[in-house]
Amino acid sequence: MGGSRIFKVTSDNKVRAPQIDTNLMTTELTIWKMDIAEYPDLDAREKEVFRYIAKAGCAVTI
């Protein structure tokens, strides 16, 4: 039931759509993990900040 919602969210946010593999016995859904620094609406400076925080591996205060 939630498949259409998942595809809408990925489309609205311009991220990679899930992959669906199905046969008579099973259905497998792969949802891709996305590096937040690669989010399409971030400028270069914002991406740099997110990468720094991710690399630090802990809380960062400025």
Side-chain angles (χ1 to χ4, degrees):
M1 268 175 64
S4 60
R5 184 171 182 187
I6 292 170
F7 280 95
K8 181 173 179 0
V9 168
T10 58
S11 175
D12 290 350
N13 291 289
K14 300 178 183 107
V15 295
R16 188 174 178 182
Q19 176 181 326
I20 299 176
D21 295 311
T22 188
N23 60 42
L24 294 176
M25 301 298 288
T26 63
T27 298
E28 184 176 305
L29 174 67
T30 303
I31 299 176
W32 308 103
K33 184 176 175 181
M34 183 176 152
D35 181 354
I36 194 160
E38 296 307 318
Y39 194 78
D41 294 335
L42 299 177
D43 65 31
R45 179 78 172 144
E46 292 167 328
K47 289 179 181 184
E48 185 179 330
V49 169
F50 276 116
R51 285 191 184 104
Y52 177 82
I53 292 169
K55 193 180 289 187
C58 59
V60 176
T61 58
I62 297 175

Short mmCIF file of all heavy atoms in Angstrom, two decimals:
data_model
loop_
_atom_site.label_atom_id
_atom_site.label_comp_id
_atom_site.label_asym_id
_atom_site.label_seq_id
_atom_site.Cartn_x
_atom_site.Cartn_y
_atom_site.Cartn_z
N MET A 1 0.81 -1.21 0.00
CA MET A 1 0.00 0.00 0.00
C MET A 1 0.85 1.26 0.00
O MET A 1 0.45 2.26 -0.55
CB MET A 1 -0.92 0.02 1.22
CG MET A 1 -2.26 -0.59 0.94
SD MET A 1 -3.32 -0.69 2.41
CE MET A 1 -3.58 1.01 2.81
N GLY A 2 2.03 1.21 0.61
CA GLY A 2 2.84 2.42 0.72
C GLY A 2 3.76 2.65 -0.47
O GLY A 2 4.48 3.65 -0.51
N GLY A 3 3.74 1.75 -1.44
CA GLY A 3 4.64 1.87 -2.58
C GLY A 3 4.51 3.17 -3.34
O GLY A 3 5.51 3.82 -3.65
N SER A 4 3.28 3.58 -3.62
CA SER A 4 3.10 4.82 -4.37
C SER A 4 3.60 6.03 -3.58
O SER A 4 4.16 6.96 -4.15
CB SER A 4 1.63 5.00 -4.77
OG SER A 4 0.81 5.06 -3.62
N ARG A 5 3.45 5.99 -2.28
CA ARG A 5 3.94 7.10 -1.45
C ARG A 5 5.48 7.15 -1.45
O ARG A 5 6.06 8.23 -1.53
CB ARG A 5 3.42 6.94 -0.02
CG ARG A 5 3.80 8.10 0.85
CD ARG A 5 3.12 8.05 2.19
NE ARG A 5 3.48 9.23 2.96
CZ ARG A 5 3.16 9.42 4.20
NH1 ARG A 5 2.46 8.52 4.84
NH2 ARG A 5 3.53 10.50 4.83
N ILE A 6 6.12 5.99 -1.37
CA ILE A 6 7.58 5.93 -1.43
C ILE A 6 8.07 6.53 -2.74
O ILE A 6 8.98 7.36 -2.77
CB ILE A 6 8.09 4.49 -1.26
CG1 ILE A 6 7.82 3.99 0.17
CG2 ILE A 6 9.58 4.39 -1.59
CD1 ILE A 6 8.06 2.51 0.36
N PHE A 7 7.45 6.13 -3.86
CA PHE A 7 7.88 6.65 -5.16
C PHE A 7 7.61 8.14 -5.29
O PHE A 7 8.39 8.88 -5.88
CB PHE A 7 7.22 5.86 -6.29
CG PHE A 7 7.91 4.56 -6.57
CD1 PHE A 7 7.44 3.40 -6.00
CD2 PHE A 7 9.03 4.51 -7.37
CE1 PHE A 7 8.09 2.19 -6.23
CE2 PHE A 7 9.68 3.31 -7.61
CZ PHE A 7 9.21 2.15 -7.05
N LYS A 8 6.52 8.62 -4.71
CA LYS A 8 6.22 10.05 -4.76
C LYS A 8 7.26 10.85 -3.97
O LYS A 8 7.74 11.88 -4.44
CB LYS A 8 4.82 10.33 -4.21
CG LYS A 8 4.46 11.82 -4.26
CD LYS A 8 3.03 12.07 -3.87
CE LYS A 8 2.61 13.51 -3.87
NZ LYS A 8 3.53 14.54 -4.20
N VAL A 9 7.62 10.37 -2.80
CA VAL A 9 8.61 11.07 -1.97
C VAL A 9 9.96 11.13 -2.68
O VAL A 9 10.61 12.17 -2.72
CB VAL A 9 8.75 10.40 -0.58
CG1 VAL A 9 9.96 10.92 0.18
CG2 VAL A 9 7.48 10.62 0.24
N THR A 10 10.38 10.02 -3.29
CA THR A 10 11.66 10.03 -3.99
C THR A 10 11.61 10.95 -5.20
O THR A 10 12.57 11.68 -5.48
CB THR A 10 12.10 8.62 -4.41
OG1 THR A 10 11.11 8.03 -5.25
CG2 THR A 10 12.36 7.74 -3.21
N SER A 11 10.50 10.97 -5.88
CA SER A 11 10.35 11.86 -7.04
C SER A 11 10.33 13.33 -6.61
O SER A 11 11.02 14.16 -7.20
CB SER A 11 9.06 11.51 -7.78
OG SER A 11 8.85 12.42 -8.83
N ASP A 12 9.56 13.63 -5.59
CA ASP A 12 9.45 15.02 -5.11
C ASP A 12 10.79 15.56 -4.62
O ASP A 12 11.06 16.75 -4.74
CB ASP A 12 8.42 15.13 -3.97
CG ASP A 12 7.00 14.92 -4.44
OD1 ASP A 12 6.76 14.89 -5.67
OD2 ASP A 12 6.12 14.78 -3.57
N ASN A 13 11.62 14.68 -4.05
CA ASN A 13 12.90 15.11 -3.48
C ASN A 13 14.08 14.87 -4.41
O ASN A 13 15.23 15.08 -4.03
CB ASN A 13 13.14 14.41 -2.14
CG ASN A 13 12.18 14.91 -1.10
OD1 ASN A 13 12.29 16.04 -0.65
ND2 ASN A 13 11.20 14.10 -0.73
N LYS A 14 13.78 14.43 -5.64
CA LYS A 14 14.80 14.23 -6.67
C LYS A 14 15.93 13.32 -6.22
O LYS A 14 17.11 13.62 -6.39
CB LYS A 14 15.35 15.58 -7.13
CG LYS A 14 14.29 16.49 -7.72
CD LYS A 14 14.89 17.82 -8.10
CE LYS A 14 13.83 18.74 -8.62
NZ LYS A 14 13.45 19.79 -7.72
N VAL A 15 15.56 12.21 -5.58
CA VAL A 15 16.55 11.21 -5.17
C VAL A 15 16.25 9.91 -5.93
O VAL A 15 15.20 9.75 -6.54
CB VAL A 15 16.54 10.96 -3.64
CG1 VAL A 15 16.97 12.21 -2.89
CG2 VAL A 15 15.19 10.49 -3.15
N ARG A 16 17.19 9.00 -5.87
CA ARG A 16 17.08 7.74 -6.60
C ARG A 16 15.86 6.94 -6.15
O ARG A 16 15.65 6.71 -4.96
CB ARG A 16 18.35 6.93 -6.36
CG ARG A 16 18.45 5.70 -7.19
CD ARG A 16 19.81 5.06 -6.99
NE ARG A 16 19.91 3.85 -7.76
CZ ARG A 16 20.95 3.05 -7.75
NH1 ARG A 16 22.01 3.36 -7.00
NH2 ARG A 16 20.98 1.97 -8.47
N ALA A 17 15.07 6.52 -7.11
CA ALA A 17 13.86 5.74 -6.82
C ALA A 17 14.24 4.34 -6.35
O ALA A 17 15.29 3.81 -6.72
CB ALA A 17 12.99 5.65 -8.07
N PRO A 18 13.39 3.72 -5.53
CA PRO A 18 13.65 2.36 -5.07
C PRO A 18 13.69 1.38 -6.24
O PRO A 18 13.12 1.63 -7.29
CB PRO A 18 12.47 2.04 -4.16
CG PRO A 18 11.82 3.32 -3.88
CD PRO A 18 12.15 4.25 -4.99
N GLN A 19 14.35 0.27 -6.02
CA GLN A 19 14.41 -0.80 -7.01
C GLN A 19 13.50 -1.92 -6.52
O GLN A 19 13.57 -2.30 -5.34
CB GLN A 19 15.83 -1.31 -7.14
CG GLN A 19 15.99 -2.49 -8.07
CD GLN A 19 17.43 -2.95 -8.13
OE1 GLN A 19 18.35 -2.16 -8.05
NE2 GLN A 19 17.62 -4.25 -8.26
N ILE A 20 12.65 -2.44 -7.39
CA ILE A 20 11.75 -3.53 -7.02
C ILE A 20 12.09 -4.75 -7.87
O ILE A 20 12.12 -4.67 -9.10
CB ILE A 20 10.27 -3.15 -7.23
CG1 ILE A 20 9.91 -1.97 -6.36
CG2 ILE A 20 9.37 -4.35 -6.95
CD1 ILE A 20 8.50 -1.45 -6.56
N ASP A 21 12.38 -5.86 -7.20
CA ASP A 21 12.61 -7.14 -7.87
C ASP A 21 11.53 -8.09 -7.36
O ASP A 21 11.37 -8.27 -6.15
CB ASP A 21 14.00 -7.69 -7.52
CG ASP A 21 15.11 -6.81 -8.06
OD1 ASP A 21 15.06 -6.46 -9.25
OD2 ASP A 21 16.01 -6.47 -7.28
N THR A 22 10.80 -8.68 -8.29
CA THR A 22 9.70 -9.54 -7.88
C THR A 22 9.64 -10.79 -8.76
O THR A 22 10.07 -10.79 -9.90
CB THR A 22 8.36 -8.78 -7.91
OG1 THR A 22 7.35 -9.58 -7.34
CG2 THR A 22 7.96 -8.37 -9.31
N ASN A 23 9.14 -11.86 -8.17
CA ASN A 23 8.86 -13.09 -8.90
C ASN A 23 7.60 -13.69 -8.28
O ASN A 23 6.93 -13.04 -7.48
CB ASN A 23 10.07 -14.05 -8.88
CG ASN A 23 10.46 -14.46 -7.47
OD1 ASN A 23 9.61 -14.75 -6.63
ND2 ASN A 23 11.76 -14.48 -7.21
N LEU A 24 7.29 -14.90 -8.62
CA LEU A 24 6.05 -15.52 -8.11
C LEU A 24 6.05 -15.73 -6.60
O LEU A 24 5.00 -15.78 -5.97
CB LEU A 24 5.77 -16.85 -8.82
CG LEU A 24 5.45 -16.75 -10.31
CD1 LEU A 24 5.30 -18.13 -10.91
CD2 LEU A 24 4.20 -15.92 -10.53
N MET A 25 7.25 -15.83 -6.00
CA MET A 25 7.34 -16.16 -4.58
C MET A 25 7.67 -14.97 -3.68
O MET A 25 7.26 -14.94 -2.52
CB MET A 25 8.38 -17.26 -4.36
CG MET A 25 8.09 -18.54 -5.11
SD MET A 25 6.55 -19.31 -4.61
CE MET A 25 6.98 -19.91 -3.01
N THR A 26 8.44 -14.01 -4.19
CA THR A 26 8.90 -12.93 -3.33
C THR A 26 8.91 -11.58 -4.05
O THR A 26 8.91 -11.51 -5.27
CB THR A 26 10.34 -13.19 -2.83
OG1 THR A 26 11.22 -13.21 -3.96
CG2 THR A 26 10.45 -14.47 -2.05
N THR A 27 8.92 -10.56 -3.25
CA THR A 27 9.14 -9.20 -3.75
C THR A 27 10.19 -8.57 -2.86
O THR A 27 10.09 -8.61 -1.64
CB THR A 27 7.84 -8.36 -3.69
OG1 THR A 27 6.87 -8.97 -4.53
CG2 THR A 27 8.08 -6.93 -4.14
N GLU A 28 11.21 -8.00 -3.50
CA GLU A 28 12.30 -7.37 -2.76
C GLU A 28 12.36 -5.90 -3.14
O GLU A 28 12.40 -5.54 -4.32
CB GLU A 28 13.62 -8.05 -3.12
CG GLU A 28 14.80 -7.55 -2.34
CD GLU A 28 16.07 -8.32 -2.67
OE1 GLU A 28 16.05 -9.56 -2.55
OE2 GLU A 28 17.04 -7.66 -3.06
N LEU A 29 12.34 -5.04 -2.14
CA LEU A 29 12.38 -3.60 -2.34
C LEU A 29 13.70 -3.07 -1.80
O LEU A 29 14.04 -3.29 -0.64
CB LEU A 29 11.21 -2.93 -1.60
CG LEU A 29 11.18 -1.40 -1.60
CD1 LEU A 29 10.92 -0.87 -3.00
CD2 LEU A 29 10.10 -0.91 -0.64
N THR A 30 14.46 -2.39 -2.66
CA THR A 30 15.73 -1.79 -2.24
C THR A 30 15.55 -0.28 -2.19
O THR A 30 15.22 0.34 -3.20
CB THR A 30 16.87 -2.15 -3.22
OG1 THR A 30 16.97 -3.56 -3.32
CG2 THR A 30 18.19 -1.56 -2.76
N ILE A 31 15.73 0.28 -1.00
CA ILE A 31 15.66 1.74 -0.83
C ILE A 31 17.08 2.22 -0.63
O ILE A 31 17.78 1.75 0.27
CB ILE A 31 14.75 2.12 0.35
CG1 ILE A 31 13.33 1.62 0.09
CG2 ILE A 31 14.77 3.63 0.59
CD1 ILE A 31 12.37 1.84 1.21
N TRP A 32 17.51 3.14 -1.45
CA TRP A 32 18.90 3.60 -1.46
C TRP A 32 19.15 4.59 -0.35
O TRP A 32 18.38 5.51 -0.12
CB TRP A 32 19.23 4.22 -2.81
CG TRP A 32 18.86 3.31 -3.93
CD1 TRP A 32 17.76 3.41 -4.73
CD2 TRP A 32 19.52 2.11 -4.33
NE1 TRP A 32 17.73 2.36 -5.61
CE2 TRP A 32 18.79 1.55 -5.39
CE3 TRP A 32 20.67 1.48 -3.89
CZ2 TRP A 32 19.18 0.38 -6.02
CZ3 TRP A 32 21.06 0.31 -4.52
CH2 TRP A 32 20.32 -0.23 -5.58
N LYS A 33 20.26 4.40 0.32
CA LYS A 33 20.72 5.33 1.34
C LYS A 33 21.45 6.46 0.61
O LYS A 33 22.26 6.22 -0.26
CB LYS A 33 21.66 4.61 2.30
CG LYS A 33 22.12 5.45 3.44
CD LYS A 33 22.98 4.58 4.36
CE LYS A 33 23.57 5.42 5.46
NZ LYS A 33 24.42 4.60 6.33
N MET A 34 21.16 7.70 1.01
CA MET A 34 21.75 8.84 0.32
C MET A 34 22.58 9.67 1.27
O MET A 34 22.15 9.97 2.37
CB MET A 34 20.63 9.70 -0.27
CG MET A 34 21.11 10.86 -1.08
SD MET A 34 19.68 11.68 -1.77
CE MET A 34 20.30 13.31 -1.91
N ASP A 35 23.77 10.01 0.83
CA ASP A 35 24.63 10.91 1.59
C ASP A 35 23.96 12.29 1.60
O ASP A 35 23.71 12.86 0.55
CB ASP A 35 26.00 10.97 0.93
CG ASP A 35 26.98 11.87 1.65
OD1 ASP A 35 26.59 12.56 2.62
OD2 ASP A 35 28.15 11.90 1.24
N ILE A 36 23.65 12.81 2.78
CA ILE A 36 22.94 14.09 2.85
C ILE A 36 23.72 15.21 2.17
O ILE A 36 23.14 16.15 1.64
CB ILE A 36 22.59 14.47 4.31
CG1 ILE A 36 21.59 15.60 4.32
CG2 ILE A 36 23.84 14.84 5.09
CD1 ILE A 36 20.83 15.77 5.58
N ALA A 37 25.04 15.08 2.10
CA ALA A 37 25.84 16.10 1.43
C ALA A 37 25.62 16.08 -0.08
O ALA A 37 26.01 17.02 -0.76
CB ALA A 37 27.32 15.90 1.74
N GLU A 38 24.99 15.05 -0.61
CA GLU A 38 24.71 14.98 -2.04
C GLU A 38 23.27 15.39 -2.37
O GLU A 38 22.84 15.26 -3.50
CB GLU A 38 24.99 13.57 -2.57
CG GLU A 38 26.46 13.19 -2.45
CD GLU A 38 27.39 14.21 -3.10
OE1 GLU A 38 27.09 14.71 -4.20
OE2 GLU A 38 28.42 14.53 -2.48
N TYR A 39 22.54 15.87 -1.38
CA TYR A 39 21.17 16.31 -1.62
C TYR A 39 21.17 17.40 -2.68
O TYR A 39 21.99 18.32 -2.61
CB TYR A 39 20.55 16.80 -0.31
CG TYR A 39 19.05 16.94 -0.38
CD1 TYR A 39 18.23 15.83 -0.29
CD2 TYR A 39 18.47 18.18 -0.58
CE1 TYR A 39 16.87 15.95 -0.37
CE2 TYR A 39 17.10 18.31 -0.67
CZ TYR A 39 16.30 17.19 -0.57
OH TYR A 39 14.95 17.30 -0.66
N PRO A 40 20.33 17.32 -3.69
CA PRO A 40 20.42 18.21 -4.84
C PRO A 40 20.26 19.71 -4.56
O PRO A 40 20.78 20.53 -5.31
CB PRO A 40 19.31 17.74 -5.78
CG PRO A 40 18.56 16.68 -5.07
CD PRO A 40 19.27 16.34 -3.80
N ASP A 41 19.56 20.10 -3.52
CA ASP A 41 19.29 21.52 -3.30
C ASP A 41 20.32 22.23 -2.43
O ASP A 41 20.11 23.37 -2.04
CB ASP A 41 17.90 21.70 -2.68
CG ASP A 41 16.79 21.28 -3.64
OD1 ASP A 41 17.03 21.32 -4.87
OD2 ASP A 41 15.71 20.91 -3.18
N LEU A 42 21.44 21.59 -2.12
CA LEU A 42 22.46 22.21 -1.30
C LEU A 42 23.51 22.88 -2.17
O LEU A 42 23.91 22.35 -3.20
CB LEU A 42 23.15 21.16 -0.41
CG LEU A 42 22.28 20.41 0.59
CD1 LEU A 42 23.11 19.37 1.32
CD2 LEU A 42 21.63 21.36 1.57
N ASP A 43 23.97 24.06 -1.73
CA ASP A 43 25.07 24.69 -2.46
C ASP A 43 26.39 24.09 -1.97
O ASP A 43 26.43 23.28 -1.04
CB ASP A 43 25.04 26.22 -2.32
CG ASP A 43 25.27 26.71 -0.89
OD1 ASP A 43 25.99 26.04 -0.12
OD2 ASP A 43 24.73 27.79 -0.55
N ALA A 44 27.49 24.48 -2.60
CA ALA A 44 28.79 23.89 -2.30
C ALA A 44 29.19 24.07 -0.84
O ALA A 44 29.72 23.16 -0.20
CB ALA A 44 29.85 24.48 -3.21
N ARG A 45 28.93 25.23 -0.27
CA ARG A 45 29.29 25.50 1.13
C ARG A 45 28.49 24.61 2.08
O ARG A 45 29.03 24.06 3.04
CB ARG A 45 29.05 26.98 1.45
CG ARG A 45 29.34 27.37 2.85
CD ARG A 45 30.83 27.51 3.05
NE ARG A 45 31.06 28.08 4.39
CZ ARG A 45 32.06 27.73 5.14
NH1 ARG A 45 32.96 26.89 4.71
NH2 ARG A 45 32.20 28.25 6.33
N GLU A 46 27.20 24.47 1.84
CA GLU A 46 26.35 23.61 2.68
C GLU A 46 26.81 22.16 2.61
O GLU A 46 26.87 21.47 3.63
CB GLU A 46 24.89 23.74 2.24
CG GLU A 46 24.29 25.10 2.52
CD GLU A 46 22.97 25.34 1.83
OE1 GLU A 46 22.76 24.81 0.71
OE2 GLU A 46 22.14 26.06 2.40
N LYS A 47 27.18 21.69 1.42
CA LYS A 47 27.69 20.33 1.28
C LYS A 47 28.97 20.14 2.07
O LYS A 47 29.17 19.12 2.72
CB LYS A 47 27.92 20.00 -0.19
CG LYS A 47 26.64 19.83 -0.98
CD LYS A 47 26.94 19.53 -2.43
CE LYS A 47 25.63 19.40 -3.21
NZ LYS A 47 25.86 19.02 -4.60
N GLU A 48 29.84 21.14 2.02
CA GLU A 48 31.11 21.09 2.76
C GLU A 48 30.86 20.96 4.26
O GLU A 48 31.51 20.18 4.95
CB GLU A 48 31.91 22.35 2.47
CG GLU A 48 33.27 22.38 3.08
CD GLU A 48 34.03 23.66 2.74
OE1 GLU A 48 33.79 24.23 1.67
OE2 GLU A 48 34.84 24.07 3.58
N VAL A 49 29.88 21.71 4.77
CA VAL A 49 29.55 21.65 6.20
C VAL A 49 29.03 20.27 6.57
O VAL A 49 29.46 19.68 7.56
CB VAL A 49 28.51 22.75 6.57
CG1 VAL A 49 27.96 22.53 7.97
CG2 VAL A 49 29.13 24.13 6.42
N PHE A 50 28.12 19.70 5.78
CA PHE A 50 27.60 18.37 6.07
C PHE A 50 28.69 17.31 6.03
O PHE A 50 28.72 16.40 6.85
CB PHE A 50 26.46 18.00 5.11
CG PHE A 50 25.13 18.54 5.56
CD1 PHE A 50 24.44 19.47 4.79
CD2 PHE A 50 24.54 18.10 6.73
CE1 PHE A 50 23.21 19.96 5.19
CE2 PHE A 50 23.31 18.57 7.14
CZ PHE A 50 22.65 19.51 6.37
N ARG A 51 29.60 17.41 5.07
CA ARG A 51 30.70 16.45 4.99
C ARG A 51 31.60 16.54 6.23
O ARG A 51 32.05 15.54 6.76
CB ARG A 51 31.51 16.66 3.72
CG ARG A 51 30.80 16.15 2.49
CD ARG A 51 31.71 16.13 1.28
NE ARG A 51 30.96 15.71 0.12
CZ ARG A 51 30.53 16.53 -0.84
NH1 ARG A 51 30.80 17.82 -0.79
NH2 ARG A 51 29.84 16.06 -1.84
N TYR A 52 31.85 17.77 6.68
CA TYR A 52 32.67 17.96 7.88
C TYR A 52 32.02 17.31 9.09
O TYR A 52 32.66 16.60 9.85
CB TYR A 52 32.89 19.45 8.13
CG TYR A 52 33.67 19.71 9.40
CD1 TYR A 52 35.04 19.63 9.43
CD2 TYR A 52 33.00 20.01 10.59
CE1 TYR A 52 35.76 19.84 10.59
CE2 TYR A 52 33.70 20.23 11.76
CZ TYR A 52 35.09 20.14 11.77
OH TYR A 52 35.78 20.34 12.92
N ILE A 53 30.72 17.54 9.25
CA ILE A 53 30.00 16.96 10.40
C ILE A 53 30.02 15.44 10.32
O ILE A 53 30.26 14.76 11.32
CB ILE A 53 28.55 17.51 10.45
CG1 ILE A 53 28.57 19.00 10.79
CG2 ILE A 53 27.70 16.72 11.45
CD1 ILE A 53 27.24 19.69 10.60
N ALA A 54 29.78 14.89 9.13
CA ALA A 54 29.76 13.44 8.98
C ALA A 54 31.13 12.83 9.27
O ALA A 54 31.24 11.79 9.90
CB ALA A 54 29.32 13.07 7.57
N LYS A 55 32.18 13.50 8.84
CA LYS A 55 33.53 13.00 9.07
C LYS A 55 33.90 13.07 10.54
O LYS A 55 34.60 12.20 11.07
CB LYS A 55 34.54 13.81 8.24
CG LYS A 55 35.92 13.15 8.17
CD LYS A 55 36.89 13.98 7.35
CE LYS A 55 36.54 13.91 5.89
NZ LYS A 55 37.54 14.56 5.03
N ALA A 56 33.41 14.09 11.25
CA ALA A 56 33.72 14.26 12.68
C ALA A 56 33.14 13.10 13.50
O ALA A 56 33.72 12.71 14.51
CB ALA A 56 33.19 15.59 13.18
N GLY A 57 32.00 12.56 13.06
CA GLY A 57 31.42 11.41 13.74
C GLY A 57 30.85 11.73 15.13
O GLY A 57 30.60 10.83 15.91
N CYS A 58 30.68 13.00 15.43
CA CYS A 58 30.12 13.38 16.72
C CYS A 58 29.49 14.77 16.58
O CYS A 58 29.55 15.37 15.51
CB CYS A 58 31.20 13.40 17.80
SG CYS A 58 32.53 14.54 17.42
N ALA A 59 28.91 15.26 17.65
CA ALA A 59 28.29 16.58 17.61
C ALA A 59 29.35 17.65 17.32
O ALA A 59 30.46 17.57 17.80
CB ALA A 59 27.59 16.87 18.93
N VAL A 60 28.97 18.63 16.54
CA VAL A 60 29.87 19.72 16.18
C VAL A 60 29.19 21.02 16.56
O VAL A 60 28.04 21.24 16.24
CB VAL A 60 30.17 19.70 14.67
CG1 VAL A 60 31.03 20.90 14.28
CG2 VAL A 60 30.83 18.40 14.26
N THR A 61 29.92 21.88 17.27
CA THR A 61 29.37 23.19 17.59
C THR A 61 30.22 24.26 16.92
O THR A 61 31.43 24.10 16.72
CB THR A 61 29.37 23.44 19.13
OG1 THR A 61 30.70 23.31 19.61
CG2 THR A 61 28.48 22.45 19.83
N ILE A 62 29.56 25.31 16.57
CA ILE A 62 30.25 26.41 15.89
C ILE A 62 30.17 27.66 16.74
O ILE A 62 29.22 27.97 17.33
CB ILE A 62 29.62 26.67 14.51
CG1 ILE A 62 29.80 25.42 13.65
CG2 ILE A 62 30.24 27.88 13.85
CD1 ILE A 62 29.13 25.51 12.31
#
